[in-house]
Amino acid sequence: MEKRKFAELGLSPEVLKAVDKMGFEEASPIQTAVIPLLLEGRDVVGQSATGSGKTAAFAIPAIEMVDPKLKRVQALILCPTRELAVQVAEEVNKLAGFKRGVMEVPIYGGQSYERQYRALKAGAQIVIGTPGRVMDHMERGTLAFDNLKMVILDECDRMLDMGFRDDIEHILKTTPPGRQSLFFSATMPKLIRDMISRYTTNPASVEIKAQAQNAPSVDQVYFEVDRRSKVEALTRLIDLHDFRHGIVFCSTKIMVDELNELLHARGYACDRLHGDISQVQRNRVTEKFKRKGFEFLIATDVAARGLDVDDLEVVFNYDLPNDGEDYTHRVGRTGRAGKSGRAFTFVSGREIYKLQGMIRYARLDIRRERIPSLDQVEEARENAFFEKLRRTLEEGKFVKRERMIDRLMEQGYLSTDIASALIHMMNAGAEPKPAAPAPAPSRGGRDDDRRGGGGGGGYERGGDRGERGRGGYPEKEAYDRPGRTGRESGYTTVFFNVGRKQMITPADLVGKIAGATRLPANIVGAIDIKQRHALVDVADDAVDVVLQKLAGVRMKGVTVQPIPAAEAG
């Protein structure tokens, strides 16, 4: 089935703005088919598995249908589990971000009734809930459907398998007869077909079949990583495997720009592609990437479409794609022309459930691993350097320096010490340091033995691939900063012209400073973030470097202009 751009689906400017912010540049097949039908007021029966992008297919029309001035429940979305209810509610919240007055509330077992009741009383128009808890609120008189315009059953077959048939029947009987209905189910047994015939009117049918789209020549791995640790996780994996040619996919244009800056600051050769870049510039970047004029292309899905490169070593899903089809499209860019490839995917928090849906939908062969430790990266660097040195010795293609070595040995230096000093110099003076503790993994409600390690504390590299120095800062020490109670001894307070308005966090400031200066993160002391600026205590001997390296760097779309706080008045 064809895909269309969201701008072609007749959506409001507010929803299009939210869609653009979320990085949805193009509607998936299920979204392309379902959204126009629901906007026309039709009842719809959709047969599609989790992972096809169906949440936005029903969430967008529900948001468009809501009257913001009417503080009553107008849309009901039934889900089989509280995990899915929360996930759907989060997506509705993002899609309704620019629709003033539109509120949603998830209601499910395990959360207090009082909190849910307050949200309903405050005027939430979109309710996302499990059948049991929806029934409880109905019986308590805290949930009424007098103004209901749309009811959506998500994963209907799964709800019936879990024994919710009677609850669903009761809820549907209570809803107004003129309301719009949408049934989503991966399968269509007779029981569901009977419900459809009784509770819908002339429904349109849409079927998106799950297809095995796996790339057999691509080794696929996913990592559960805390969002703020993704950059360090990415650089560790690049350094461990010594990748030199790959694509990093991000979901939004803003994320592409930010990651491009962060990788440049760490010495990686990269460039970017997204929808705001002119076609002339896109062509230039694409041709340069094909010639291996730089190592990593950071791009959104649409911007990278049509890019044909046969020898990519790796694809990184820095942000999880929207659906299983986009995932396989990304991953299929490596492992071409009879060569093997690798694909690494980062998952944060509840995204693990979305990834599991994609795995079922596209029948993906993808395994979970942990982010490598600093010791593993250090060992890989040493092994790579050892092999390079051994090959050079075996080939004998080097100029011998007996005279210089003899002079040093005459002064009492051992040959092993001379060789060690040379290796030390070649590695930019990096000294082995204690391994940083593993950063916090993604918190998705999963037990520790199933979680992946995060990124945190990583390597930074110089301009040459063989000259990597260690950043050496543990994630906890780098990001868990105390609030400022006055300037710390040995530190100077620096004024940054970014703050809460730009949604700046201590992690953003520490990461940007450490990346741009290539200094350890412990040069940063206490941080105080205000609405329009931030005050950061910087070690006295590092202030000049911070002021010089951070001047002109962009953070969250703002050009940073750091100055000593004493000069900021």
Side-chain angles (χ1 to χ4, degrees):
M1 185 174 289
E2 67 171 7
K3 288 185 174 184
R4 293 169 63 187
K5 291 186 178 295
F6 279 100
E8 300 172 3
L9 299 181
L11 305 180
S12 66
E14 295 86 355
V15 169
L16 287 175
K17 188 175 180 181
V19 163
D20 182 66
K21 183 178 179 181
M22 292 174 68
F24 294 175
E25 296 178 284
E26 193 174 52
S28 69
I30 191 68
Q31 293 160 3
T32 298
V34 169
I35 290 175
L37 291 170
L38 290 176
L39 291 178
E40 291 173 8
R42 294 283 304 275
D43 285 355
V44 175
V45 175
Q47 189 167 354
S48 178
T50 299
S52 60
K54 60 185 171 60
T55 301
F58 60 73
I60 288 175
I63 292 165
E64 295 283 40
M65 170 273 303
V66 165
D67 178 0
K69 297 178 182 178
L70 179 60
K71 301 301 181 182
R72 296 289 186 273
V73 177
Q74 301 174 51
L76 172 65
I77 303 171
L78 292 178
C79 303
T81 66
R82 63 181 180 182
E83 289 82 10
L84 183 57
V86 170
Q87 181 179 318
V88 170
E90 289 175 348
E91 188 146 353
V92 171
N93 178 269
K94 293 175 184 175
L95 288 166
F98 296 97
K99 277 273 193 179
R100 284 180 172 270
V102 175
M103 294 172 54
E104 82 293 329
V105 57
I107 58 175
Y108 51 87
Q111 188 184 50
S112 77
Y113 282 97
E114 185 61 30
R115 177 178 298 174
Q116 295 170 2
Y117 171 66
R118 286 198 301 268
L120 290 168
K121 189 176 180 181
Q125 298 102 339
I126 303 176
V127 170
I128 307 102
T130 52
R133 182 53 68 98
V134 168
M135 281 280 292
D136 288 345
H137 276 282
M138 291 169 61
E139 292 171 359
R140 290 168 178 252
T142 54
L143 179 60
F145 298 135
D146 298 343
N147 301 101
L148 194 72
K149 301 177 183 178
M150 180 183 289
V151 62
I152 297 157
L153 278 71
D154 190 15
E155 299 196 6
C156 190
D157 52 352
R158 193 173 170 196
M159 285 193 284
L160 295 182
D161 290 342
M162 295 172 68
F164 286 128
R165 175 184 176 180
D166 291 341
D167 288 351
I168 293 172
E169 292 265 13
H170 180 78
I171 292 168
L172 291 175
K173 288 175 182 177
T174 310
T175 58
R179 49 94 182 100
Q180 195 174 356
S181 301
L182 169 63
F183 282 71
F184 254 126
S185 185
T187 60
M188 287 290 168
K190 183 177 184 301
L191 184 57
I192 293 179
R193 293 198 303 270
D194 290 343
M195 290 178 65
I196 290 170
S197 65
R198 282 183 283 129
Y199 296 107
T200 63
T201 303
N202 188 29
S205 294
V206 175
E207 182 178 1
I208 304 294
K209 292 184 178 179
Q211 298 179 356
Q213 305 176 55
N214 206 28
S217 59
V218 180
D219 181 32
Q220 301 171 58
V221 179
Y222 77 90
F223 305 90
E224 290 184 67
V225 184
D226 188 84
R227 288 182 184 277
R228 67 183 184 181
S229 302
K230 284 186 178 181
V231 176
E232 302 304 338
L234 175 65
T235 55
R236 281 194 196 182
L237 289 167
I238 290 173
D239 289 351
L240 178 71
H241 299 285
D242 200 26
F243 292 128
R244 296 172 183 268
H245 204 217
I247 299 179
V248 184
F249 283 102
C250 299
S251 63
T252 66
K253 293 173 280 190
I254 293 175
M255 192 64 250
V256 167
D257 290 338
E258 288 191 358
L259 184 58
N260 184 56
E261 289 180 11
L262 288 168
L263 291 184
H264 268 300
R266 285 162 170 76
Y268 294 80
C270 55
D271 212 328
R272 64 200 172 102
L273 280 182
H274 59 62
D276 286 349
I277 295 175
S278 68
Q279 189 60 50
V280 173
Q281 179 75 353
R282 285 197 209 185
N283 294 340
R284 186 195 66 79
V285 171
T286 299
E287 289 305 314
K288 187 174 180 181
F289 184 60
K290 289 180 177 179
R291 298 194 311 267
K292 295 188 177 181
F294 56 91
E295 297 173 316
F296 297 100
L297 178 68
I298 308 165
T300 58
D301 288 289
V302 171
R305 186 155 294 145
L307 181 65
D308 190 16
V309 182
D310 287 336
D311 53 353
L312 284 181
E313 296 175 291
V314 64
V315 166
F316 286 97
N317 291 308
Y318 191 82
D319 295 322
L320 197 63
N322 299 328
D323 54 56
E325 187 170 339
D326 282 344
Y327 174 88
T328 53
H329 185 73
R330 289 180 180 184
V331 168
R333 293 178 179 279
T334 184
R336 292 183 174 184
K339 298 180 181 179
S340 60
R342 309 192 77 166
F344 296 136
T345 299
F346 295 157
V347 183
S348 301
R350 293 190 182 92
E351 287 179 343
I352 185 63
Y353 302 112
K354 184 176 180 181
L355 177 63
Q356 288 169 347
M358 292 181 187
I359 292 172
R360 290 193 297 270
Y361 174 71
R363 304 171 198 172
L364 305 176
D365 181 15
I366 178 171
R367 70 182 184 279
R368 174 187 170 276
E369 288 187 2
R370 293 180 181 273
I371 294 296
S373 67
L374 291 176
D375 283 341
Q376 289 175 305
V377 178
E378 177 69 22
E379 183 180 358
R381 283 183 62 240
E382 289 181 355
N383 289 341
F385 181 81
F386 175 85
E387 287 301 318
K388 183 178 180 180
L389 183 59
R390 184 183 60 79
R391 285 196 303 270
T392 302
L393 288 169
E394 286 183 351
E395 293 170 359
K397 296 178 181 179
F398 57 90
V399 178
K400 297 187 177 182
R401 306 286 184 177
E402 289 100 333
R403 182 180 175 186
M404 184 179 295
I405 294 172
D406 288 343
R407 286 177 60 192
L408 289 168
M409 293 183 68
E410 286 172 2
Q411 295 181 28
Y413 296 104
L414 298 175
S415 58
T416 52
D417 288 343
I418 296 170
S420 296
L422 289 170
I423 292 173
H424 175 91
M425 293 168 62
M426 291 180 67
N427 283 281
E431 289 292 346
K433 298 180 181 179
S442 168
R443 301 300 185 206
R446 297 160 63 81
D447 47 279
D448 290 338
D449 65 332
R450 296 173 67 196
R451 289 193 189 116
Y459 278 79
E460 299 166 7
R461 76 171 65 181
D464 182 81
R465 287 298 299 260
E467 298 181 357
R468 300 182 189 129
R470 180 169 305 194
Y473 45 95
E475 200 236 7
K476 274 290 181 185
E477 293 180 11
Y479 297 128
D480 289 352
R481 297 297 183 197
R484 295 185 75 259
T485 57
R487 184 173 62 81
E488 297 182 58
S489 176
Y491 287 76
T492 296
T493 302
V494 176
F495 174 97
F496 284 80
N497 58 316
V498 289
R500 286 198 298 269
K501 183 178 180 182
Q502 290 80 29
M503 294 185 287
I504 293 294
T505 67
D508 294 326
L509 290 163
V510 175
K512 185 69 75 172
I513 291 171
T517 64
R518 301 188 184 181
L519 294 173
N522 58 17
I523 67 164
V524 181
I527 295 174
D528 188 8
I529 300 178
K530 304 294 187 182
Q531 182 65 19
R532 298 177 182 276
H533 71 272
L535 300 174
V536 181
D537 286 351
V538 177
D540 290 340
D541 58 358
V543 171
D544 290 342
V545 176
V546 169
L547 295 177
Q548 177 187 352
K549 295 291 187 180
L550 271 293
V553 170
R554 290 180 66 80
M555 292 185 69
K556 303 293 180 75
V558 175
T559 301
V560 175
Q561 297 172 334
I563 59 175
E567 298 177 14

